[in-house]
Amino acid sequence: MRKVLAALIGLLVLAGCAADPVWAPDEAVQAAQYRHPGPPRLTLFTMISNDTGAGGHTSLMINASQRVIWDPSGTFHHETIPERNDLLYGVTPAVADVYTRYHARKTWHVIIQELDVTPEVAERALALAQGYGAVPNAYCTVSTSAILRQLPGLDGLRQTMFPVKLADQFRKVPGVRERVLHEYDSDDNSRVLEAWDPARFALSQKAG
């Protein structure tokens, strides 16, 4: 019972915003579109409490004809990153980096699980995320597992509301690679976004 309560508390702590519809304009979404040159891929992010081991949040990066992050009921928002109902567009390497560092801090670490898939599976995941709609608080894992289990090869996954349980299931899928990100910044993770300047990053890339 204590483990269940700890897991529920973790979900509520990191769950984020309510199911308020967000709809970036077409021109912003079109301008931000980014296709990563790597293979079609699903990347499952699971945020884990360093104190209790309970899961607090689940999200999914999808590299299809464009790369997006399905961030259901998440708190990651920036004016330069268009969002439509929990789907973040324009996920360049810089955005992916700041996204993971935003969630990893002294009280939370991030499990990063990657699975290369066919272009068709990646496109199906993208379409499902685009059509899902805004997600209520604490339903991040329910929605993510619902998307994953509709994909070929992942239909054996069970729908769950617990991030750790979904990560445990995903880990057993053949081909999944896993790593863990630990950082020890302050719990005030809003500073990660405040310090991130896309224009400055672009200039540093040109200089390099």
Side-chain angles (χ1 to χ4, degrees), residues 11 15 56-59 70 72-73 135-145 163:
L11 283 168
H57 187 53
T58 296
S59 58
W70 170 246
S73 67
V135 177
N137 280 343
Y139 279 77
C140 57
T141 312
V142 170
S143 62
T144 305
S145 57

Side-chain angles (χ1 to χ4, degrees), residues 25-39:
D26 289 346
E27 55 270 23
V29 172
Q30 291 294 328
Q33 284 190 11
Y34 170 76
R35 170 66 164 93
H36 190 271

Side-chain angles (χ1 to χ4, degrees), residues 98-160:
V98 76
Y99 180 85
T100 52
R101 290 190 297 106
Y102 172 86
H103 288 95
R105 48 194 189 270
K106 66 181 181 181
T107 53
W108 297 89
H109 65 273
V110 182
I111 298 176
I112 303 169
Q113 296 170 305
E114 299 177 333
L115 176 65
D116 292 347
V117 296
T118 65
E120 293 77 16
V121 169
E123 285 302 313
R124 176 64 174 155
L126 174 60
L128 289 169
Q130 288 175 322
Y132 198 96
V135 177
N137 280 343
Y139 279 77
C140 57
T141 312
V142 170
S143 62
T144 305
S145 57
I147 288 173
L148 287 172
R149 67 193 307 268
Q150 295 181 68
L151 303 176
L154 298 176
D155 49 341
L157 296 178
R158 297 183 303 277
Q159 194 165 4
T160 177

